[in-house]
Amino acid sequence: MQDIQHLGVYTSGGDAPGMNACLRAVVRAGLDNDLEVTGIRRGYEGMIDGDLVELDRRSVSNIMQSGGTVLKSARSEKFRTEEGRAKAAEQLRKNGIDALVAIGGDGTFRGASKLHQEHEFPVIGAPGTIDNDLFGTDATIGYDTALNTAIENIDRIRDTADAHNRLFLVEVMGRDAGFIALNCGIGGGAELILIPETITEMEMVKKRILSHMSAQRRSTIVVVAEGDELGGARGIEQALRDDSDFGDIDLRSTILGHTQRGGAPSASDRVLASRLGVGCVESLLDGHSDVMVGVVNGETKLTPLRNVYNRRKSIDYDLLKLTQILS
Ligand code: ATP
């Protein structure tokens, strides 16, 4: 059993709605267990610089409903070096912090794991990323909110696309994973969904669009993940514009971009974040380290950090088949 008295907590990598709810849960669970809790601002960059803030119950009041992260986030090149991590460990020890809760994505966990291995620091992770691409949890904090934002935007685009019989290419976030694209495509009634996990052939894309537009004579929406190999919405738009078969088609592309990151977290993200935050503190106190707390099939589950970043979480291929039936 590790003797923990002073917790450090930080948010790192891309921000995600619900990170604040998770922070609140970590702080309140920590205080409930008579621990001191310190917030580390700007992720690993702030850890190296000693950018710390003491957190009490009131300091996390009224943050549950806000997007972004009150602790700020940052990418840190220094932390990728052994020297940088040694400096971070020294800062933590100097300030009496003896265990860490990391809220972030796979990069954040790679860093946390190294800190654990090189400096024997107890660390535990809460999955916070809108991409939902982390093995060991059914959903990550922020994913549900981002998905709903994307669907809301697709609904709006559908109105204007319908009014003009237009073809819209809607690009959503997901450099390596198609969770947002697949699910917002289904929820938004997209005619075609293009994701990084599958091979996308331009000829198939053209055929499907032409067949839909000539049969329905209505709007067509193609949802494409930013990491799809055809170059996202812009890449597909260019290929279609270069094809004379598409000469008469009114075609637009929209990149939803960072709108998907912001906004108040959904109810589901708030509950997940609260559950995972408390789970992190309890698991650390139970002696666990170098693991992530996730929720799988409704149960809280611990997964070694190395499995979280080394294994790939699969999309649901049955869902992908659904689009062909539904469009
Ligand atoms: P998101 O999925 O939203 O991008 P993330 O946690 O994966 O979140 P990254 O930018 O990949 O975001 O990682 C956050 C930080 O973690 C990096 O800026 C870096 O400081 C640290 N980090 C990432 N990979 C490593 C690594 N291999 N070794 C040490 N530190 C790392």
Side-chain angles (χ1 to χ4, degrees):
M1 188 77 86
Q2 39 211 6
D3 181 24
I4 295 170
Q5 289 172 12
H6 189 165
L7 264 189
V9 54
Y10 59 103
T11 51
S12 162
D15 60 297
M19 279 183 161
N20 285 329
C22 187
L23 169 67
R24 171 180 176 270
V26 169
V27 171
R28 299 237 162 129
L31 297 174
D32 205 47
N33 283 284
D34 300 322
L35 305 178
E36 218 178 304
V37 188
T38 292
I40 301 161
R41 292 199 196 93
R42 299 181 294 115
Y44 293 122
E45 203 62 8
M47 198 180 284
I48 292 170
D49 296 345
D51 190 358
L52 310 177
V53 55
E54 201 181 314
L55 298 171
D56 57 18
R57 283 189 75 80
R58 285 194 49 206
S59 61
V60 289
S61 293
N62 260 329
I63 64 167
M64 168 93 98
Q65 64 275 34
S66 59
T69 156
V70 294
L71 286 180
K72 310 278 182 195
S73 187
R75 317 260 180 198
S76 172
E77 283 312 308
K78 283 184 253 168
F79 194 82
R80 290 179 185 271
T81 65
E82 263 184 48
E83 199 194 352
R85 293 191 292 275
K87 271 194 191 148
E90 196 187 309
Q91 278 288 5
L92 295 171
R93 295 220 159 95
K94 197 171 88 187
N95 287 282
I97 296 171
D98 48 27
L100 287 174
V101 177
I103 308 169
D106 64 328
T108 299
F109 295 159
R110 279 175 205 274
S113 213
K114 285 190 178 162
L115 198 65
H116 171 81
Q117 282 150 24
E118 293 166 0
H119 300 279
E120 289 169 13
F121 229 93
V123 295
I124 199 153
T129 168
I130 63 167
D131 292 333
N132 197 32
D133 57 349
L134 295 179
F135 181 85
T137 190
D138 289 342
T140 54
I141 298 165
Y143 168 62
D144 183 68
T145 307
L147 188 56
N148 281 297
T149 303
I151 287 182
E152 197 184 309
N153 279 297
I154 291 173
D155 288 348
R156 288 165 197 255
I157 289 168
R158 176 72 74 186
D159 289 346
T160 174
D162 245 3
H164 298 273
N165 282 349
R166 269 186 188 142
L167 162 62
F168 262 93
L169 305 164
V170 183
E171 183 178 306
V172 298
M173 279 190 167
R175 273 192 307 259
D176 307 305
F179 291 96
I180 293 181
L182 177 57
N183 288 277
C184 79
I186 290 176
E191 280 66 40
L192 193 57
I193 300 170
L194 309 175
I195 55 175
E197 287 87 345
T198 58
I199 295 166
T200 312
E201 284 169 354
M202 199 60 221
E203 285 316 304
M204 177 280 289
V205 173
K206 289 178 181 174
K207 223 167 110 188
R208 292 275 301 275
I209 294 174
L210 286 175
S211 123
H212 183 263
M213 292 207 84
S214 60
Q216 308 289 327
R217 294 175 195 279
R218 288 191 61 191
S219 63
T220 299
I221 290 184
V222 176
V223 169
V224 50
E226 62 179 324
D228 186 73
E229 73 267 32
L230 292 179
R234 295 268 189 260
I236 298 170
E237 180 182 350
Q238 197 51 56
L240 298 183
R241 289 204 187 280
D242 290 344
D243 187 326
S244 57
D245 286 347
F246 285 78
D248 294 335
I249 292 179
D250 193 354
L251 155 68
R252 303 291 152 101
S253 52
T254 300
I255 297 172
L256 298 188
H258 284 76
T259 56
Q260 294 156 97
R261 276 203 191 282
S266 66
S268 164
D269 270 331
R270 295 181 198 197
V271 174
L272 177 69
S274 302
R275 184 171 177 184
L276 294 177
V278 173
C280 279
V281 175
E282 288 178 347
S283 302
L284 265 178
L285 291 172
D286 281 347
H288 298 284
S289 181
D290 206 16
V291 295
M292 181 193 82
V293 183
V295 174
V296 177
N297 293 330
E299 303 277 332
T300 302
K301 193 179 164 223
L302 301 181
T303 302
L305 288 180
R306 66 176 179 283
N307 289 353
V308 177
Y309 53 74
N310 284 333
R311 291 198 190 167
R312 196 175 167 86
K313 178 161 139 191
S314 177
I315 56 148
D316 184 344
Y317 285 91
D318 286 341
L319 271 186
L320 195 58
K321 280 193 216 142
L322 271 191
T323 22
Q324 286 163 19
I325 300 167
L326 297 175
S327 65

